[in-house]
Amino acid sequence: LDEVKCTPIRIAAGAYADFVQGTVEALDPATRTARLKDGREVRYDIASLNAGSLTDVSIPGSAWHALAVKPYERFIAQLELPTRIAVVGAGAAGAELAMALRHQGAVVTLYSAESSMPPALERRVVRRLRRIGVDFRPGMTVTQLVNGPVVVAGSARQQFDLVILSTG
């Protein structure tokens, strides 16, 4: 896609919407008004809020032995494509990331504590993961990361070149 055409302002305009960047301090659904941090008040018909998300880095050792997918800019800046990669978290983002890394030639293992997708979608995603050669490990909760980096999931231990956290 042409980066110039994909600005938030142009995307909003294409949907016949106004793009207003700012931090919402108060939202009044009764009057359909948002008060922004800078004092502006914005009236709306429909509000779409990007509250962002964070990567759960509470796995012991993750701060030292893993690369979190958020913030995205830091993730991209630090990502190198080693041979053996573990992706922890098999939601939509983790599964997509595992497929993309596998497409780039990496050997990928995808750990999933529990499913976060609707069953029909999960079946399609799992079939695709298996078809392209991602080692998908459903029901395996990563309990620790240690030097190596080594992923510890229950009694199983496996060493990788890179561990990526895609946990919400």
Side-chain angles (χ1 to χ4, degrees):
L1 294 174
D2 184 354
E3 289 183 31
V4 173
K5 293 180 182 178
C6 291
T7 66
I9 294 168
R10 288 181 185 250
I11 292 170
Y16 303 101
D18 294 321
F19 174 78
V20 178
Q21 186 168 348
T23 301
V24 175
E25 285 197 332
L27 195 62
D28 184 349
T31 63
R32 293 187 175 173
T33 304
R35 188 178 74 245
L36 304 183
K37 187 175 184 176
D38 64 10
R40 291 180 292 162
E41 286 197 356
V42 179
R43 297 211 13 94
Y44 63 87
D45 295 314
I46 299 171
S48 175
L49 306 174
N50 179 3
S53 63
L54 298 174
T55 301
D56 180 4
V57 294
S58 64
I59 298 169
S62 63
W64 299 277
H65 305 294
L67 177 60
V69 296
K70 297 280 180 134
Y72 182 71
E73 292 79 11
R74 190 180 92 208
F75 172 71
I76 292 299
Q78 293 180 350
L79 181 64
E80 295 178 11
L81 194 58
T83 306
R84 299 169 302 147
I85 301 173
V87 177
V88 180
E96 183 178 350
L97 184 58
M99 287 187 259
L101 293 167
R102 180 70 190 115
H103 180 74
Q104 293 297 314
V107 175
V108 181
T109 301
L110 178 60
Y111 290 90
S112 175
E114 58 186 47
S115 177
S116 63
M117 294 183 222
L121 176 60
E122 181 182 13
R123 285 189 297 274
R124 289 179 58 203
V125 169
V126 169
R127 274 196 310 270
R128 180 69 177 155
L129 288 166
R130 301 240 189 258
R131 188 174 337 127
I132 66 172
V134 171
D135 180 8
F136 179 52
R137 299 190 180 184
M140 288 193 78
T141 301
V142 173
T143 55
Q144 186 177 8
L145 301 175
V146 295
N147 195 23
V150 173
V151 170
V152 179
S155 62
R157 297 171 65 91
Q158 187 172 2
Q159 185 168 351
F160 294 93
D161 299 320
L162 175 65
V163 177
I164 297 174
L165 296 180
S166 182
T167 51

